[in-house]
Amino acid sequence: MDAASHGGLLRRQPLLFHQISVFLLTFSAYAAFHASRKPTSIVKSVLGSETPSSGAGGEGWPPFDGPSGPHRLGDLDLAFLSSYSAGMFLAGHVADRVDLRRFLAFGMLASGVSTAAFGAAYWWGVHSLGFFLAIQVFSGIVQSIGWPCVIAVIGNWFGKSPRRGLIMGVWNSNTSVGNILGSIIASSVLEFGWGWSFLLPGFLIAAVGVLVWVFLVSDPRDIGFETASKEVEMNEPGVETTEDVDLGNGEETGLLGSEQTDEVDSTTAIGFLEAWRLPGVAPFAFCLFFSKLVAYTFLYWLPFYIRNTDVAGKHVSHKTAGILSTIFDVGGVLGGVSAGFMSDRLNARASTCIFFLFVSIPTLIAYRSYGSMSMQLNISLMFLSGYFVNGPYSLITTAVSAELGSQDMIQGNSRALATVTAIIDGTGSVGAALGPLLTGYISTRGWNNVFLMLICSTSFAITFLIHIAKAEVSSKMSERMSSGTSIGQL
């Protein structure tokens, strides 16, 4: 082995070590964020009285008991998710201008305080709707700090990897892992009082926040490395990423087709409106609006739905309903990884999203129609629903956002990634706020209407990506024709 090769090997080892560390820390951080959001869905059936259709009794916890209970529980979701979506746009703007490590750690510690404060109402005997709404608003604001920060950090370290879709798919399973962890923790201590279901996840996110404060390195340049994409070029000169393929005429093809590149200062934070005008940002943002509406309706209402729906003629307990709901998230983990792998192989993000969205429609119909026939069928269809619902949601919030935030028009501007990510996920979060709110009102008129809303939302999500998917298919056909012509000439 020559000296140059040996030097490259030594340089790659510490880079890999730091990449693994960043991957695990950011994975744990966002899993903790989601774990701390899950208790509200777990305790819904305890705070609110049973639905009239269930035939079961239950006193609930004022002000969430009585006939208006589901409406007020929906208002809780609205308070959190509306402040979360509004905070997301601001957090992304701020994240591009401050130390990501400190900003992320602050958001986690503040989220721990807000989650624990909600649970403390159990021991304080608080029954004021205003108190719970205020806690939810504050929690939404501080929780919005998480996503722009972690996606910017992971983007800094992994750059334009040719396996970005798969890497991001595995990494984004943090949302489902957090949901599963939060469900198990909240359900396991529910019998001791619903306050514990908030207190323990609050301690968890605060503890992980301390680890982030101490150990996270937000940018490879902070410890002497070049940007991650440049490190790949230096260490693997034979690697050519799928996002950047030079055509010899100043144009490049990738996620968005051919785009003319303009030189942008990579150290200058991009403007909010300028980020909206980047190709592909608006279509994927609005697609995520409807995709996240569906995903978050399941996130916040699935345990309540399971608790108040007959399965083989029987009702399950509050604890069992919370644990069963994790099956949806298990499917979501595999769906996110599969969507990332599939999009990498096809180099077609929009087409992959449309496939998952389209198949999710008959899956949702089957879950509503046949899920109550037996527990085995309920679990199987719930798993498939999570698989197809969370696939495009995972892909858009990770690999697509990272690509759009570092596309060639802005020359990989490292100061633009958090802003673009916040725009896409912030728009999606508006849908996430709308879905649970509407569910609180629509569910009182029957769950068939709720599933109709979910199917319509999925259909709208598909329409926003049709134009980009057509461009991807046309590009693939042109490549095949060019390849066939070259072979014929030989």
Side-chain angles (χ1 to χ4, degrees):
M1 180 182 294
D2 58 27
S5 300
H6 180 66
L9 178 61
L10 290 177
R11 186 173 181 79
R12 187 183 305 178
Q13 287 176 337
L15 175 64
L16 179 62
F17 170 79
H18 287 293
Q19 284 179 320
I20 292 173
S21 298
V22 168
F23 186 98
L24 293 177
L25 271 175
T26 53
F27 184 100
S28 300
Y30 210 65
F33 271 110
H34 264 257
S36 67
R37 297 177 197 173
K38 195 63 181 177
T40 51
S41 68
I42 298 298
V43 305
K44 266 190 172 80
S45 56
V46 175
L47 295 178
S49 60
E50 306 294 340
T51 58
S53 60
S54 70
E59 295 181 0
W61 180 275
F64 306 109
D65 56 345
S68 61
H71 297 172
R72 289 176 177 171
L73 290 170
D75 291 340
L76 278 187
D77 296 336
L78 175 65
F80 173 83
L81 291 168
S82 58
S83 63
Y84 177 84
S85 60
M88 180 71 70
F89 295 107
L90 178 62
H93 190 70
V94 174
D96 277 335
R97 292 160 172 79
V98 300
D99 185 288
L100 289 171
R101 175 182 63 86
R102 294 179 180 178
F103 194 41
L104 176 59
F106 166 76
M108 298 183 73
L109 293 172
S111 296
V113 171
S114 64
T115 304
F118 194 110
Y122 172 77
W123 292 282
W124 295 342
V126 177
H127 297 283
S128 168
L129 180 62
F131 172 85
F132 292 107
L133 291 177
I135 290 294
Q136 288 292 84
V137 169
F138 176 76
S139 182
I141 292 172
V142 294
Q143 286 254 344
S144 69
I145 294 173
W147 188 250
C149 290
V150 294
I151 200 69
V153 171
I154 205 76
N156 288 342
W157 277 98
F158 287 90
K160 291 188 174 183
S161 168
R163 295 173 295 277
R164 171 182 277 170
L166 179 59
I167 292 172
M168 289 297 199
V170 173
W171 179 81
N172 195 52
S173 64
N174 54 36
T175 59
S176 296
V177 169
N179 292 338
I180 294 170
L181 183 62
S183 297
I184 293 175
I185 293 175
S187 299
S188 63
V189 297
L190 189 57
E191 60 189 289
F192 303 111
W194 62 262
W196 290 104
S197 297
F198 288 88
L199 201 61
L200 295 186
F203 285 152
L204 173 65
I205 189 173
V208 178
V210 172
L211 294 178
V212 166
W213 180 280
V214 175
F215 295 110
L216 181 65
V217 180
S218 60
D219 194 301
R221 289 170 293 190
D222 293 343
I223 52 175
F225 288 104
E226 296 287 341
T227 59
S229 57
K230 289 184 178 179
E231 291 292 335
V232 171
E233 292 171 4
M234 292 172 63
N235 292 323
E236 300 183 55
V239 172
E240 184 176 40
T241 67
T242 58
E243 290 85 4
D244 299 296
V245 181
D246 187 57
L247 300 178
N249 59 356
E251 296 181 347
E252 297 175 348
T253 62
L255 173 69
L256 307 169
S258 298
E259 295 292 345
Q260 196 74 24
T261 62
D262 297 313
E263 193 72 26
V264 176
D265 184 358
S266 63
T267 62
T268 303
I270 194 170
F272 181 77
L273 295 178
E274 183 182 359
W276 263 110
R277 288 193 292 266
L278 290 174
V281 169
F284 277 105
F286 290 121
C287 174
L288 187 62
F289 174 95
F290 291 102
S291 298
K292 210 167 180 180
L293 184 154
V294 176
Y296 268 63
T297 297
F298 277 97
L299 174 66
Y300 280 91
W301 283 96
L302 184 57
F304 187 91
Y305 172 75
I306 295 172
R307 175 71 181 94
N308 294 284
T309 303
D310 288 336
V311 179
K314 298 179 181 178
H315 283 278
V316 300
S317 66
H318 297 293
K319 180 178 180 179
T320 302
I323 294 175
L324 274 178
S325 68
T326 63
I327 301 299
F328 181 87
D329 293 300
V330 173
V333 171
L334 297 179
V337 174
S338 300
F341 178 76
M342 180 177 172
S343 68
D344 277 347
R345 294 297 299 269
L346 299 176
N347 191 24
R349 309 295 194 204
S351 300
T352 301
C353 289
I354 287 179
F355 169 77
F356 274 78
L357 290 166
F358 182 80
V359 179
S360 71
I361 293 176
T363 305
L364 291 174
I365 295 174
Y367 179 58
R368 174 56 184 163
S369 302
Y370 304 109
S372 61
M373 295 180 64
S374 69
M375 184 59 71
Q376 292 79 8
L377 196 56
N378 187 289
I379 290 174
S380 299
L381 292 172
M382 192 191 312
F383 174 88
L384 289 175
S385 297
Y387 182 90
F388 289 111
V389 166
N390 280 6
Y393 161 48
S394 170
L395 187 61
I396 293 173
T397 54
T398 53
V400 171
S401 293
E403 287 178 6
L404 293 175
S406 56
Q407 58 183 285
D408 303 313
M409 285 192 68
I410 50 177
Q411 292 293 304
N413 185 346
S414 62
R415 306 285 287 178
L417 185 54
T419 299
V420 171
T421 299
I423 286 175
I424 293 176
D425 202 52
T427 304
S429 295
V430 176
L434 186 61
L437 172 68
L438 292 177
T439 301
Y441 288 89
I442 297 174
S443 62
T444 60
R445 295 173 173 81
W447 285 99
N448 286 340
N449 294 322
V450 174
F451 276 81
L452 178 61
M453 175 191 74
L454 300 180
I455 291 167
C456 290
S457 297
T458 303
S459 301
F460 284 129
I462 292 173
T463 61
F464 282 102
L465 295 187
I466 290 177
H467 179 72
I468 297 178
K470 286 174 62 179
E472 291 175 345
V473 173
S474 298
S475 176
K476 292 296 179 184
M477 293 179 65
S478 298
E479 288 178 9
R480 287 194 175 187
M481 291 179 62
S482 299
S483 176
T485 303
S486 299
I487 293 174
Q489 291 176 346
L490 291 175

